[in-house]
Amino acid sequence: MNVGLKLFLRRDRRKRLEAGNPWIFRSEVEKWEGEPYPGKYAHVYNHQGVFLAAAYVNPQSQIFARVLSYNPQEVIDEEYFIKRLLRAKQLRQQLLRDDSEGYRLVYGEADGLPGLIVDVYKDVLTVQLLTAGMDLRRDLILSALQNVCQPRAIVWRNDAGVRRLEGLSLENQMAYGHLEGPVEILENGLRLEVDVLGGQKTGHFFDQRENRRAIRPYVQPSDFAPQGARMLDCFCHTGAFTVHALAYGASHVTAVDISHHALEAARRNLTLNGWAERAELVEANAFDFLRKLEQDGQEFDVVLLDPPAFAKSRQAVNGAIRGYKEINLRGMRLLREGGFLLTCSCSYHVSSDVFQQVVLEAATDAHKILRQIEFRGAGPDHPYLAALPEGNYLKFAVYQVTSRKA
């Protein structure tokens, strides 16, 4: 097969590619033959000239090449994308519940399609092309998605800032079909409205779907909370956790977010399910609101903290740690004796060990004792490559919180 670009890797590099890591950094490349440009197809060889992988390159990016195949005869055409999409779809059908009307169909590198994210909302798809290599092949991707999924509409959600690192512009527009307003899906038997055109990321956070189902034992009527838990939901976004909590028997939820747009969506989701009167929606900075609740002497049976990524780079880790510590400390102080803290982090750069240590330090400062009950990650529609731990970003921990004197 005649290939216009060949990369040769350094002799002294770590054998990450052979272990299954699909990212090749500029520092690992010894030389190349041909002219690299963003998105160009290339064959990758070791220092002895042995073929290792087929990839696309971007000399403007820190990640110089991303692996598409380990077959030297692979042609990156529509059939290539159809095969990858069918494989991804089969896995989701095998792992997810039959009533899942929304899920992540393609999770980039984990599905052999680096830089591509596809979410399914019943018969509507949202697509993120995060790299120049995928953006260059958007017509092939669009056609393959129509072939495999037969959707009524496809939306380009190419407004992620990471595209700028690839030299790409931001866009958010219809790619195929048309939409008239939000899309309604069933999640765990509950009705949720999703703004696929204007919502955050791709409109909804499917990575927390199983975790939303997992909150039932902590909020349902019990000896601890006979009428159902009184819950505080911080960074509530469009209210998916709040809706689940009320469905599972919580007596009342105070839901807080700084975004007016997100809270309006949360209000619609509560109304859809008939529980608007059992929730209070508060538009506020969560840090400020937690302090105010503490000053007012408020108490809750359950506190849920699901903030956005505080650390989007290694340089932001120290600030993120301070943020995680503060919200967890204040959340613990708002719990009645024996209450439950449900706390999350979606910052990959804050590891699971570091996150748990930060929560423990917050408990020490709050004079609390933690009993860890669960530690969870993203749902099965967010698999990750063992050789690429960057795909394993979500942490969801459940603690029972007591005072030292209890």
Side-chain angles (χ1 to χ4, degrees):
M1 181 178 179
N2 185 24
V3 177
L5 179 62
K6 297 180 180 181
L7 306 184
F8 295 88
L9 304 185
R10 295 171 59 96
R11 180 192 199 99
D12 59 352
R13 68 186 172 86
R14 291 173 55 198
K15 301 299 189 288
R16 298 183 316 105
L17 192 153
E18 290 87 339
N21 190 313
W23 292 355
I24 300 169
F25 291 92
R26 175 67 182 85
S27 60
E28 297 176 286
V29 180
E30 179 71 35
K31 63 178 181 178
W32 57 79
E33 296 176 1
E35 187 64 34
Y37 59 79
K40 188 171 184 177
Y41 182 75
H43 276 184
V44 182
Y45 302 86
N46 70 8
H47 66 282
Q48 296 173 315
V50 176
F51 174 84
L52 296 177
Y56 63 74
V57 304
N58 188 352
Q60 298 181 17
S61 173
Q62 181 184 6
I63 303 172
F64 192 87
R66 300 175 194 250
V67 172
L68 292 167
S69 173
Y70 298 97
N71 177 2
Q73 303 304 318
E74 190 83 75
V75 177
I76 310 305
D77 55 9
E78 183 178 339
E79 186 60 30
Y80 165 88
F81 286 103
I82 288 174
K83 287 189 296 185
R84 289 288 200 275
L85 290 171
L86 285 172
R87 187 174 67 182
K89 186 177 182 180
Q90 185 276 327
L91 179 65
R92 273 64 177 185
Q93 289 175 336
Q94 180 177 347
L95 297 178
L96 298 180
R97 289 168 35 149
D98 291 340
D99 64 354
S100 297
E101 290 186 342
Y103 58 92
R104 176 146 292 178
L105 172 63
V106 175
Y107 185 36
E109 284 78 355
D111 289 298
L113 293 165
L116 178 65
I117 303 292
V118 181
D119 283 345
V120 175
Y121 297 91
K122 207 173 332 188
D123 56 357
V124 174
L125 306 179
T126 61
V127 183
Q128 288 185 307
L129 307 170
L130 300 176
T131 59
M134 285 298 163
D135 197 79
L136 188 67
R137 296 165 176 86
R138 64 168 59 202
D139 291 341
L140 295 176
I141 293 167
L142 185 62
S143 182
L145 284 169
Q146 291 172 271
N147 183 299
V148 172
C149 301
Q150 293 88 47
R152 69 178 170 94
I154 300 177
V155 179
W156 295 131
R157 288 304 308 263
N158 294 328
D159 50 359
V162 69
R163 280 176 56 92
R164 291 198 177 97
L165 301 178
E166 290 276 316
L168 301 171
S169 61
L170 305 189
E171 63 177 7
N172 184 1
Q173 62 187 20
M174 294 298 304
Y176 165 77
H178 68 278
L179 286 174
E180 296 178 357
V183 178
E184 185 181 311
I185 62 170
L186 280 178
E187 178 179 283
N188 300 322
L190 302 171
R191 299 168 66 190
L192 296 173
E193 180 183 284
V194 182
D195 181 3
V196 296
L197 271 169
Q200 193 174 350
K201 296 292 182 69
T202 62
H204 187 64
F205 295 105
F206 288 125
D207 52 2
Q208 292 275 31
R209 180 184 50 248
E210 278 71 21
N211 297 334
R212 286 189 277 268
R213 189 162 67 239
I215 72 172
R216 181 192 292 268
Y218 311 109
V219 299
Q220 67 187 4
S222 63
D223 290 342
F224 176 69
Q227 305 303 315
R230 185 167 178 257
M231 186 174 102
L232 173 65
D233 180 3
C234 284
F235 311 96
C236 71
H237 192 228
T238 58
F241 269 112
T242 290
V243 168
H244 280 72
L246 293 170
Y248 297 151
S251 60
H252 187 271
V253 179
T254 301
V256 186
D257 202 279
I258 199 168
S259 167
H260 180 77
H261 180 77
L263 286 176
E264 286 302 305
R267 195 179 311 280
R268 290 192 296 272
N269 284 330
L270 286 164
T271 302
L272 270 176
N273 292 278
W275 296 312
E277 76 283 355
R278 288 165 54 196
E280 178 188 6
L281 301 180
V282 180
E283 185 177 336
N285 178 296
F287 288 86
D288 297 337
F289 192 67
L290 285 167
R291 283 191 288 268
K292 181 178 185 303
L293 289 173
E294 186 180 349
Q295 292 167 359
D296 293 346
Q298 295 285 333
E299 277 192 335
F300 298 88
D301 304 307
V302 175
V303 171
L304 171 69
L305 305 171
D306 185 21
F310 286 164
K312 295 185 178 180
S313 67
R314 294 187 187 279
Q315 292 73 27
V317 167
N318 289 337
I321 287 173
R322 290 191 295 271
Y324 285 126
K325 184 174 180 180
E326 180 177 349
I327 61 170
N328 280 281
L329 183 149
R330 296 193 180 281
M332 292 176 204
R333 287 176 174 171
L334 292 171
L335 283 168
R336 57 180 280 233
E337 187 68 28
F340 297 98
L341 177 70
L342 285 56
T343 182
C344 311
S345 166
C346 59
S347 300
Y348 163 73
H349 294 288
V350 177
S351 70
S352 296
D353 288 344
V354 169
F355 180 64
Q356 291 175 88
Q357 182 61 34
V358 169
V359 177
L360 179 59
E361 291 174 3
T364 302
D365 289 355
H367 307 289
K368 302 291 184 180
I369 300 295
L370 299 181
R371 176 157 48 178
Q372 184 167 305
I373 299 173
E374 295 188 68
F375 195 87
R376 306 167 59 91
D381 53 346
H382 288 67
Y384 67 95
L385 297 174
L388 188 68
E390 285 84 349
N392 182 24
Y393 62 95
L394 183 64
K395 282 78 67 177
F396 180 93
V398 179
Y399 298 94
Q400 187 178 39
V401 181
T402 57
S403 67
R404 293 177 186 171
K405 299 178 181 179

